[in-house]
Amino acid sequence: MSDTRRRVKVYTLNEDRQWDDRGTGHVSSTFVERLKGISLLVRAESDGSLLLESKISPNTAYQKQQDTLIVWSEADNYDLALSFQEKAGCDEIWEKICQVQGKDPALDITQDPIDESEEERFEEIPETSHLVELPPCELSRLEEIADLVTSVLSSPIRREKLALALMSEGYIKKLLGLFRVCEDLDNREGLHHLYEIVRGVLFLNKAALFEVMFSDDCIMDVVGCLEYDPALVQPKRHREFLTKTAKFKEVIPITDSELRQKIHQTYRVQYIQDIILPTPSVFEENFLSTLTSFIFFNKVEIVSMLQEDEKFLTEVFAQLTDEATEDSKRRELVNFVKEFCAFSQTLQPQNRDAFFKTLANLGILPALEIVMGMDDLQVRAAATDIFSYLVEFSPSMVREFVMQEPQQTDDDVLLINVVIKQMICDSDPELGGAVQLMGLLRTLIDPENMLASTNKTEKTEFLSFFYKYCMHVLTAPLLANTAHEKNSKDLQEGSAKINPVCPDNFQTAQLLALILELLTFCVEHHTYHIKTYIMNKDLLRRVLFTHTHTHAPFCALRFMRRIIGLKDEYYNRYIIKGNLFEPVINALLDNGTRYNLLNSAIIELFEFIKVEDIKSLIAHIVDNFYKALESIEYVQTFKGLKGRYEQEKDRQSQRLNRYRRDARSLDEDEELWFNDDDDDDDGEAVEKSRMEDDFSDSYGKYMEAKKGKLLLVLPQVQFSLPRLQHLQTAMVGLVDYPDDEDEEEEEEEEEEEQSPRKRPRLSS
């Protein structure tokens, strides 16, 4: 027995009714002592670990589907499936299961999937025959057949018996023959009955019936039957769409006939499920679960077959990147890759890893650089979808490719710059494509998904690269929209002008708002790089003075709010130096007494400054703008700022007075230090006595050292600590330099900030 014969994939059905791949391995059937019976064992081909250990229970219903699948349920809502690489291996295991259960291997199901209540009802029914008795397949009996098919849908046992009867007598092909006769005779009543019959057979949910119905010689007749819905006045033309409108294009000739047939079949079955069949009711939603599985495993098989055909994919990417390829041909190639990536979403994570790594090795990212820069809107849209699949799968893979690109003299050829330019040049008035690309850029520059290793730090390297080669492209519309105002004194008047590069219209405002949103994200997550960029480009000033009076004031305010929210003194000094509160306050005053979003956003900004007690900004606002703001009394924010300002001034005055001593107090300090005063309190007497003892000891040591020809300096540390502090205080008072006062103030501020008890209480 060859290894590939028993090679299987293990699947489990999740809560969303989707199959999860649990791994690939080799299956065997052996007696397991612990389980007391013959069991199915699957060991992983990678490390030999046990992927599955399942006892073949005599009462479990096993089902064989599509010649290479065995499906069963081990418990409530826990379905398992083995997908075999070869049909021969599936047949061997199926025979073993049937042998254990004493069933005929010719059947595709070993048990009737019934619950207890159904089983009780079944016991009351006298046994008449093993199969449901079908009426003869004749035109005159179509109504009777339709009634029979409809009646069994509520009973799992009768559904199973009807499926067996339909398979054993070749009944499906006979019914489809009657369909052709009815259509030739334009027998509408018969066609309506056939619609009910075929729809009911689909709801039997049996893979063996699907194999017959979806074969090449039957599927179009099945579609034809489903055109004649009795609820419709005129039949639908689904066959016309599938044969004439929907064209299968082979961008590269597919030599594998099995693969081509599988692609045709999957497309048509998907069309039946999504377009033809009505949305199932709550009671019918599980009737088509096998149809969903049929499509799922078909897609998995198609992706696997294409992925294994290296010659085919190599040719696809070679033509995609070839400059000589015609635009129409390139459009077809891009759409094929897009569909290929869409199919890959049915794969499980480990298989999807291998899939995208294969695409990366074949050159998917260099190909995207070419096609995303094309003028064809359809091609660009398809390329954007492919790029989104790649970014969602692995942002690190995209970043690694971008950083490895050769540094051209023209930065425009870089992949990220191509993406940014496509975002900026989106012709959609609603900027749907720009929004999608902005989300992808945000994912790429998000430090949260950047990896750090012992050898290199992806975050540092990529962000340095991005700010050096890409940031100027991203901010170009912002800077272009403000370039004509940079040296203008009357900035508000300049903001009303129409800029020839970025016209001041709604679409431009939406684009600038997207860019500002991305920059706001950078402020929150890129501390060093974005700070340097904002300072060098004077970005905040140019944004504020331009956009607080156009269509995008809130994005500009949000941008400034995030910067202030960092409570970074570098940013604060930049704001103060540039007088950047002026356009914000002008916008507030121009808004008047209107209670709207702009008013609330500005008030919240100043409230944050007050609550967080950002001293430098409070002083700047009160010194320069309080006269304009003091008339606003419907909120207490600005009075609170003034109160904070006054409190800080009082504290500073107290500090200055504390260190400015007159000559009299200085003389008293000196007297206390050098003289022994009998009027001192007990504490001073004890302290003086200790000091004198220390002095005596030090003096004695000094004399001994002098005798030994050693010159020692009287150590200052011999004096007690309180006296030393007193001496330092007195020395501060001797020479009072302004610079010294500033240093003392800074030290005092640091002490107060470190002590929570000294922090002023928040004023209302």
Side-chain angles (χ1 to χ4, degrees), residues 73-90:
S73 298
E74 289 206 336
D76 292 340
N77 299 322
Y78 186 65
D79 294 346
L80 290 162
L82 293 180
S83 176
F84 289 78
Q85 181 171 330
E86 295 185 8
K87 180 180 181 298
C90 182

Side-chain angles (χ1 to χ4, degrees), residues 104-231:
D104 183 3
L107 299 176
D108 287 336
I109 188 166
T110 61
Q111 300 287 336
D112 294 332
I114 57 177
D115 55 23
E116 293 182 3
S117 59
E118 181 71 23
E119 189 174 10
E120 290 173 0
R121 292 200 306 270
F122 177 65
E123 289 175 354
E124 297 173 0
I125 301 175
E127 291 189 14
T128 54
S129 65
H130 178 67
L131 301 178
V132 172
E133 185 175 350
L134 289 168
C137 192
E138 300 172 356
L139 285 176
S140 59
R141 309 296 290 272
L142 284 177
E143 183 177 3
E144 185 181 346
I145 299 170
D147 291 339
L148 174 63
V149 172
T150 305
S151 66
V152 304
L153 294 179
S154 59
S155 168
I157 293 177
R158 300 196 67 199
R159 285 206 308 267
E160 184 64 35
K161 291 191 173 185
L162 176 60
L164 292 173
L166 290 171
M167 285 297 298
S168 63
E169 299 178 17
Y171 211 80
I172 298 295
K173 292 188 176 182
K174 294 178 182 178
L175 285 170
L176 296 178
L178 287 180
F179 163 73
R180 291 188 290 271
V181 173
C182 286
E183 197 167 40
D184 291 340
L185 299 174
D186 196 20
N187 183 349
R188 288 302 176 92
E189 184 181 359
L191 292 171
H192 289 163
H193 289 319
L194 282 166
Y195 169 87
E196 298 291 347
I197 294 169
V198 171
R199 181 177 177 273
V201 172
L202 288 174
F203 280 166
L204 292 177
N205 206 26
K206 299 302 176 185
L209 294 176
F210 292 161
E211 292 289 344
V212 176
M213 298 174 74
F214 299 149
S215 61
D216 286 346
D217 54 344
C218 293
I219 189 167
M220 295 310 292
D221 288 334
V222 170
V223 172
C225 291
L226 294 172
E227 291 179 351
Y228 292 92
D229 186 346

Side-chain angles (χ1 to χ4, degrees), residues 347-366:
L347 300 175
Q348 295 305 309
Q350 58 267 43
N351 295 335
R352 204 154 53 236
D353 285 352
F355 172 80
F356 281 110
K357 286 176 182 177
T358 299
L359 293 187
N361 294 334
L362 290 169
I364 182 67
L365 289 168

Side-chain angles (χ1 to χ4, degrees), residues 300-478:
V300 170
E301 193 170 349
I302 289 169
V303 173
S304 300
M305 294 172 74
L306 285 172
Q307 190 176 341
E308 292 169 2
D309 192 346
E310 295 182 2
K311 188 175 180 180
F312 176 84
L313 289 179
T314 302
E315 183 65 22
V316 168
F317 285 99
Q319 292 195 25
L320 194 60
T321 55
D322 188 355
E323 295 181 359
T325 303
E326 296 180 358
D327 290 347
S328 58
K329 180 71 170 180
R330 200 187 308 275
R331 187 184 307 118
E332 293 175 359
L333 289 164
V334 172
N335 286 327
F336 166 78
V337 177
K338 174 189 168 183
E339 290 297 320
F340 193 31
C341 291
F343 268 38
S344 73
Q345 300 307 296
T346 61
L347 300 175
Q348 295 305 309
Q350 58 267 43
N351 295 335
R352 204 154 53 236
D353 285 352
F355 172 80
F356 281 110
K357 286 176 182 177
T358 299
L359 293 187
N361 294 334
L362 290 169
I364 182 67
L365 289 168
L368 284 178
E369 274 187 340
I370 297 174
V371 297
M372 291 186 81
M374 295 177 62
D375 296 331
D376 192 316
L377 293 177
Q378 292 183 356
V379 169
R380 291 213 308 261
T384 299
D385 290 337
I386 297 170
F387 186 67
S388 69
Y389 285 127
L390 295 171
V391 172
E392 289 169 7
F393 164 70
S394 176
S396 293
M397 181 181 74
V398 178
R399 285 191 289 261
E400 184 179 358
F401 166 78
V402 170
M403 288 189 291
Q404 289 177 352
E405 286 184 287
Q407 302 306 321
Q408 306 287 344
T409 54
D410 185 4
D411 294 340
D412 294 346
V413 300
L414 298 176
L415 177 59
I416 292 187
N417 287 347
V418 172
V419 172
I420 293 172
K421 286 198 169 185
Q422 184 170 335
M423 181 184 80
I424 293 172
C425 299
D426 188 7
S427 58
D428 180 7
E430 299 297 327
L431 296 180
V435 172
Q436 181 185 9
L437 290 170
M438 192 274 286
L440 297 176
L441 285 173
R442 181 169 175 162
T443 301
L444 287 174
I445 64 175
D446 187 357
E448 295 297 324
N449 59 45
M450 295 184 185
L451 305 175
S453 64
T454 55
N455 298 327
K456 66 176 183 177
T457 304
E458 182 183 12
K459 176 180 176 181
T460 302
E461 290 185 0
F462 180 76
L463 290 182
S464 298
F465 172 89
F466 180 79
Y467 279 87
K468 182 177 181 181
Y469 294 103
C470 308
M471 183 58 95
H472 67 282
V473 182
L474 177 64
T475 57
L478 276 176

Side-chain angles (χ1 to χ4, degrees), residues 21 173 216 236 248 263 282 341 424 445 485 502 569 612 664 675 692 711:
D21 187 349
K173 292 188 176 182
D216 286 346
K236 295 288 186 179
F248 177 65
I263 293 172
V282 175
C341 291
I424 293 172
I445 64 175
E485 304 172 53
C502 288
E569 278 303 311
E612 295 297 325
R664 183 177 301 175
N675 298 328
E692 289 174 354
L711 181 61

Side-chain angles (χ1 to χ4, degrees), residues 15-157:
E15 295 178 354
D16 298 326
R17 309 298 296 173
Q18 299 294 323
W19 289 102
D20 291 336
D21 187 349
R22 296 304 182 188
T24 303
H26 293 85
V27 64
S28 61
S29 57
T30 56
F31 182 83
V32 177
E33 181 66 30
R34 181 174 57 84
L35 299 178
K36 305 295 184 183
I38 302 295
S39 303
L40 297 177
L41 303 180
V42 179
R43 295 195 176 275
E45 64 180 2
S46 57
D47 56 6
S49 60
L50 195 63
L51 297 178
L52 175 70
E53 184 180 58
S54 174
K55 180 182 176 181
I56 302 176
S57 172
N59 299 320
T60 299
Y62 292 86
Q63 188 174 7
K64 187 168 73 167
Q65 302 177 6
Q66 303 181 44
D67 292 333
T68 56
L69 280 176
I70 297 177
V71 183
W72 73 97
S73 298
E74 289 206 336
D76 292 340
N77 299 322
Y78 186 65
D79 294 346
L80 290 162
L82 293 180
S83 176
F84 289 78
Q85 181 171 330
E86 295 185 8
K87 180 180 181 298
C90 182
D91 292 340
E92 284 185 12
I93 296 299
W94 181 251
E95 289 178 4
K96 190 67 177 180
I97 293 171
C98 292
Q99 179 184 348
V100 172
Q101 293 194 341
K103 303 293 181 179
D104 183 3
L107 299 176
D108 287 336
I109 188 166
T110 61
Q111 300 287 336
D112 294 332
I114 57 177
D115 55 23
E116 293 182 3
S117 59
E118 181 71 23
E119 189 174 10
E120 290 173 0
R121 292 200 306 270
F122 177 65
E123 289 175 354
E124 297 173 0
I125 301 175
E127 291 189 14
T128 54
S129 65
H130 178 67
L131 301 178
V132 172
E133 185 175 350
L134 289 168
C137 192
E138 300 172 356
L139 285 176
S140 59
R141 309 296 290 272
L142 284 177
E143 183 177 3
E144 185 181 346
I145 299 170
D147 291 339
L148 174 63
V149 172
T150 305
S151 66
V152 304
L153 294 179
S154 59
S155 168
I157 293 177

